[in-house]
């Protein structure tokens, strides 16, 4: 797990060598174990690997600064968190034997052992036991087609000195980040936005549509755009090529998309058995490491499946440590479930209970880490869990991210299942599902019916229906003039599909709406503590299989979510956890926290930065915030969105056009 940065400006003035070193230093938390650089003169096909302050001197590389004054137009920088083959042999940028290809690689390809054997039979020789060397050899053997063979997470860049081009790629789910900027005949990429902002020509202007989508609907990482108008991300499941002829015009292509396969005649029992094998095989692959491995544990079904799955696979061999957030509010605390799982898995439990004053102390660091606004204080709870792992010397963590979006884990998905039944004419089954589901603690009758109706409405009637329900697309606290001046489209993303509404909703959540933001939070929070976070639910094989199951295998006739996963883990996860019906996760008592921080929050809302964000009507924002904190107005996450946007604007000196 590492950090990448690169800058290419052919035909322009020589690169500022000190700038390359500075941008790489901004990513040191992603890889404190090693650093490396490559300087290239693309017109002369010369390449100079060089070192930085954290490079192992045994490599004998010349220092980066020793090349100041020489003419280079391409630079690659790398920070390493050593997980597989921690020796100096895993140093990057890594070159092919003939020197044609140079690669920087962030991530893990867990099936590298099997791929290495296949490549050896094809004539490739290996000098390390890293997955990095396997990835580079796979690209040389199969080209871009190698991406189909990988099981894991990655963001990579390969320089081809013969073709004079860059090849960049991101894993199918976007687990690992890859941002880029292009313009003025130049191209830059990095693992985090903060590094890109250092390059000349990269502006700090806000993206109006992205700002609106976040403030109104809470969406953060959908699509290729970011909160910065001129900075983009390589979409998940895509690769990109950048040629010397037009480095500011990269070419992007999709290489993977989620498809439905035929599972006709697959019984529930067969589905559970197949899912169980797929999941346990994935967990086993995700345990491959040359350093200590732990697991995040919330006490829910997803993380419990991982922890107990590890113990099932390795009854005696693995010393297992878990790391958990325990909320101080007894209503939100999942400590009893955490304790149940750690006893069952014979794991050593580590717990953290953050306080509101801890958040106030760490908020500036958290905003800096995340690069962009984020959804709620639960992000801070996750941040503290990874910090706890670092404090106990754990460098790799397994986590249950993605299972909610695969299996329909949120209460709102009951509405999608109802819409599927109604849309296909199964009214009696829909009524039976509704009557049973509303008995569950997390399913509220009125909101369930409203959401179901919204999913069935024709697109043309949606604005009217939302207005009648009091859900204006441009709420009173948002500046309507700003929205109109900047061409913002004030509507939610609309999921189009057939009668399989639940399947369509899950697809959107997995690839566009929910999961991309959650993966960004997890990547930044884990890497801030130099911890590699792995997500064994997110393999293309598992996703394709689950996406092809009948909808009733995901949400059953009683409204039980994750039905297939519950059945698959029967006999491994303790029954009391499998029978849980409430949904908590990394939840925090947000309203209580914000009230405890009231003076600091009021200062933020009344400060100069807030006044210079034209998307907000600041008199209304202050009045509504006061009402939420006083309890006279309904609490929701709009208050946190205002605060997060203000903090981000201030920390990154973001500019808004009026």
């Amino acid at each position: 797990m590492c950090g990448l940065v690169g800058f290419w400006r052919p035909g322009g003035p020589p690169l500022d060598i000190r700038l390359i070193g500075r941008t790489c230093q901004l990513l040191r938390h992603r890889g404190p174990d090693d650093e490396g650089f490559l300087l290239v003169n693309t017109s002369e096909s010369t390449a100079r690997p060089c070192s930085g302050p954290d490079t192992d001197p045994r490599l004998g590389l010349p220092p980066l600064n020793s090349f100041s004054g020489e003419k280079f137009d391409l630079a690659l920088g790398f920070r390493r968190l050593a997980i597989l083959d921690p020796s100096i042999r895993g140093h990057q940028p890594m070159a092919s034997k003939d020197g044609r290809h140079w690669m920087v690689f962030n991530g893990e390809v867990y099936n590298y052992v099997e791929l290495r054997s296949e490549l050896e039979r094809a004539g490739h020789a290996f000098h390390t036991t890293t997955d990095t060397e396997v990835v580079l050899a796979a690209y040389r053997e199969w080209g871009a087609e190698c991406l189909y063979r990988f099981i894991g997470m990655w963001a990579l860049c390969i320089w081809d000195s013969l073709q004079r081009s860059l090849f960049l790629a991101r894993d199918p789910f976007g687990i690992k980040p890859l941002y880029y900027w292009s313009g003025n005949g130049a191209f830059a990429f990095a693992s985090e936005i903060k590094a890109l902002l250092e390059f000349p020509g990269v502006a700090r202007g806000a993206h109006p549509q992205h700002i609106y989508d976040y403030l109104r609907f809470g969406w953060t990482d959908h699509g290729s755009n970011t909160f910065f108008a001129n900075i983009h991300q390589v979409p998940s499941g895509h690769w990109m090529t950048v040629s010397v002829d037009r480095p500011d015009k990269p070419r992007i292509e999709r290489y993977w998309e989620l498809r439905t396969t035929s599972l006709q005649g697959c019984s529930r029992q067969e589905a559970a058995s197949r899912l169980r094998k797929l999941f346990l095989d994935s967990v086993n692959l995700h345990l491959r490491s040359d350093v200590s491995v732990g697991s995040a544990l919330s006490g829910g079904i997803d993380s419990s499946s991982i922890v107990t799955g590890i113990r099932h696979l390795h009854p005696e061999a693995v010393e297992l440590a878990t790391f958990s957030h325990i909320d101080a509010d007894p209503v939100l605390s999942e400590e009893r479930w955490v304790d149940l799982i750690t006893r069952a898995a014979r794991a050593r439990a580590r717990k953290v209970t953050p306080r509101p004053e801890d958040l106030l102390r760490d908020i500036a660091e958290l905003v800096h880490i995340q690069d962009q606004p984020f959804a709620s204080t639960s992000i801070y709870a996750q941040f503290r869990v990874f910090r706890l792992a670092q404090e106990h010397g754990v460098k790799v963590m397994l986590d249950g991210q993605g299972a909610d979006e695969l299996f329909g884990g949120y209460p709102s998905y009951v509405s999608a299942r109802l819409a599927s039944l109604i849309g296909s004419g199964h009214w009696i089954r829909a009524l039976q599902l509704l009557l049973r589901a509303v008995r569950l603690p997390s399913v509220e009758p009125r909101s369930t019916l409203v959401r179901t109706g919204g999913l069935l409405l024709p697109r043309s009637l949606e604005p009217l229906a939302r207005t009648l329900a009091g859900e204006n697309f441009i709420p009173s606290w948002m500046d309507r003039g700003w929205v109109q001046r900047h061409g913002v489209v004030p509507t939610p993303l609309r999921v189009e599909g057939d009668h399989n509404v639940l399947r369509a909703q899950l697809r959107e959540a997995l690839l566009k709406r929910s999961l991309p933001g959650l993966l960004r939070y997890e990547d930044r929070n884990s890497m801030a503590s130099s911890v590699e976070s792995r997500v064994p639910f997110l393999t293309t094989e598992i996703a394709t299989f689950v996406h092809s199951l009948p909808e009733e295998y995901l949400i059953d006739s009683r409204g039980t979510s994750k039905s297939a996963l519950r059945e698959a883990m029967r006999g491994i996860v303790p029954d009391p956890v499998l029978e849980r019906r409430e949904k908590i996760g990394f939840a925090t008592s947000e309203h209580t926290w914000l009230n405890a921080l009231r003076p600091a929050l009021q200062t933020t809302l009344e400060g100069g930065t807030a006044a210079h964000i034209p998307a907000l009507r600041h008199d209304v924002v202050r009045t509504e915030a006061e009402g939420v904190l006083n309890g006279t107005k309904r609490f929701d996450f709009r208050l946190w969105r205002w605060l997060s946007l203000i903090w981000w604007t201030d920390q990154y000196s973001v500019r808004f056009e009026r």
Side-chain angles (χ1 to χ4, degrees), residues 2-6 23 25-31 106 155 176-180 188-199 226 228 231-232 365 367-372 520 522-529 652:
C2 310
L4 318 176
V5 65
T23 56
Q25 183 64 21
L26 287 172
L27 302 178
R28 188 180 188 277
H29 53 280
R30 300 187 69 90
N106 170 27
K176 289 293 100 187
L178 189 55
Y179 297 95
Y180 71 95
F189 69 90
S191 294
E192 297 182 14
I193 289 174
K194 61 177 64 67
L196 282 180
L197 293 173
E198 297 296 310
F199 288 111
T226 71
F228 292 92
I231 295 176
H232 306 275
E365 180 184 1
V367 172
H368 179 72
I369 286 166
Q370 287 294 329
D371 278 346
Q372 301 181 86
R520 190 248 296 182
E522 180 148 338
D523 172 82
R524 302 308 184 280
N525 281 336
S526 60
M527 296 310 297
S529 293
Y652 283 98

Side-chain angles (χ1 to χ4, degrees), residues 211 215-216 475-480 482-483 605 609-622 638 641-643 645-646 649 656 658:
I211 297 295
L215 288 173
R216 181 60 185 84
S476 61
W477 46 264
M478 188 177 292
D479 189 288
R480 181 177 294 272
W482 179 85
V483 170
L605 292 170
T609 300
H612 286 88
I613 298 179
L616 299 175
R617 294 180 58 197
H618 299 283
D619 54 339
V620 180
V621 164
R622 287 192 295 269
R638 69 187 185 279
R641 293 171 196 163
W642 300 335
L643 293 166
L645 182 69
I646 295 166
T649 300
F656 284 78
R658 299 201 168 262

Side-chain angles (χ1 to χ4, degrees), residues 504-520:
Q505 290 285 320
L506 291 175
R507 180 189 181 91
E508 290 294 305
L510 190 72
L511 301 177
K512 296 181 181 180
R513 291 189 180 183
S514 173
L515 186 62
L518 296 173
L519 291 174
R520 190 248 296 182

Side-chain angles (χ1 to χ4, degrees), residues 516-547:
L518 296 173
L519 291 174
R520 190 248 296 182
Y521 307 149
E522 180 148 338
D523 172 82
R524 302 308 184 280
N525 281 336
S526 60
M527 296 310 297
S529 293
S530 303
V531 172
E532 174 177 291
S533 182
R534 299 178 174 182
V535 283
F537 280 105
L538 293 179
T539 71
T540 57
E541 192 173 12
I542 290 177
T544 301
F545 177 75
V546 175
H547 191 66

Side-chain angles (χ1 to χ4, degrees), residues 452-526:
T452 303
L455 292 170
L456 293 169
L457 272 179
R459 179 190 290 269
S460 59
L461 296 179
E462 185 177 3
L464 175 61
R466 286 182 176 268
T467 300
L468 293 175
E471 295 184 8
N472 294 321
F473 285 133
I474 305 177
S476 61
W477 46 264
M478 188 177 292
D479 189 288
R480 181 177 294 272
W482 179 85
V483 170
Q484 294 172 342
R485 285 194 301 275
H486 292 285
V488 169
V489 180
T491 57
L493 294 173
R494 179 80 177 190
V495 178
E496 301 294 345
D498 53 18
H499 296 315
N500 295 306
V501 180
L502 174 59
R503 182 175 294 161
Q505 290 285 320
L506 291 175
R507 180 189 181 91
E508 290 294 305
L510 190 72
L511 301 177
K512 296 181 181 180
R513 291 189 180 183
S514 173
L515 186 62
L518 296 173
L519 291 174
R520 190 248 296 182
Y521 307 149
E522 180 148 338
D523 172 82
R524 302 308 184 280
N525 281 336
S526 60

Side-chain angles (χ1 to χ4, degrees), residues 567-592:
E567 288 305 310
M569 298 309 293
R570 190 75 63 182
I572 297 178
V573 176
D575 284 347
V577 174
L578 293 177
E579 298 303 323
R580 288 189 65 181
R581 294 296 182 266
E582 76 279 16
K583 173 81 177 159
I584 297 178
F586 275 121
T588 60
S589 43
E590 186 133 3
H591 196 187
T592 303

Side-chain angles (χ1 to χ4, degrees), residues 323 385-394 528-531:
F323 300 87
V385 167
F386 285 114
R387 178 186 283 178
L388 183 67
Q390 181 193 45
E391 291 168 354
H392 288 277
V394 173
S529 293
S530 303
V531 172

